[in-house]
Amino acid sequence: MRVRLLAATGGIVVLGSLLTGCGLAFGGPAGAEGAAHGPSVGDRGEERVEQAVDDEDELVIVDNGAEVREDCGNREVVVTADDAHVVLDGACGLVKATGRGTTVNVGSADKIVLVGVDNEVAFASGDPEVINHGRNTTVVEGGSADG
């Protein structure tokens, strides 16, 4: 649940950086070990060491340029990575693309949400609810995922 909240409210990172030193950012002092799986607050020059966060309820893909193929297994999926190529076989719950220049192919989804830039989501089957608040983003039927 914590991962979904951080990915869905990207502004929290900005707020967290404003609260650095107050002990309020992400439940503890700045730089505390064991922080949430979301992006770290720091210089933009930092290299990301995080991998896709995967549990039985959700999959979060954070690595820029990643090539990921997973069985969706009715999970919620959030793609925050830029320039990623993601294939999600089978049925997904929510699929959300918040990155830039990412292609997501999904077997089927209950709901597809786009809030990033230059992203494309293709679904192989079904009739998902689509919410497109992105810029230059598209949702199309088809793609390379197995339904």
Side-chain angles (χ1 to χ4, degrees):
M1 189 68 157
R2 175 174 58 194
V3 174
R4 184 174 345 137
L5 176 63
L6 291 175
T9 58
I12 194 112
V13 173
V14 174
L15 179 61
S17 66
L18 294 174
L19 296 175
T20 299
C22 295
L24 297 175
F26 304 112
E33 294 297 321
H37 292 287
S40 60
V41 177
D43 296 332
R44 288 197 176 271
E46 290 179 356
E47 184 175 327
R48 258 201 155 121
V49 260
E50 300 171 285
Q51 299 295 321
V53 176
D54 186 4
D55 69 25
E56 63 186 55
D57 295 325
E58 67 185 349
L59 172 65
V60 181
I61 300 166
V62 298
D63 287 337
N64 294 336
E67 292 191 20
V68 176
R69 184 167 201 135
E70 287 277 335
D71 179 44
C72 206
N74 291 313
R75 292 180 287 182
E76 292 186 5
V77 179
V78 179
V79 181
T80 63
D82 294 342
D83 302 313
H85 298 282
V86 179
V87 178
L88 303 165
D89 294 318
C92 296
L94 167 72
V95 174
K96 184 173 185 178
T98 66
R100 177 182 293 259
T102 293
T103 302
V104 179
N105 290 282
V106 61
S108 66
D110 295 331
K111 186 176 192 177
I112 296 172
V113 177
L114 293 127
V115 293
V117 178
D118 299 325
N119 293 319
E120 179 178 303
V121 177
F123 61 95
S125 64
D127 186 22
E129 176 185 355
V130 175
I131 299 174
N132 189 346
H133 292 294
R135 190 176 75 211
N136 196 31
T137 57
T138 57
V139 176
V140 297
E141 190 168 359
S144 62
D146 296 328

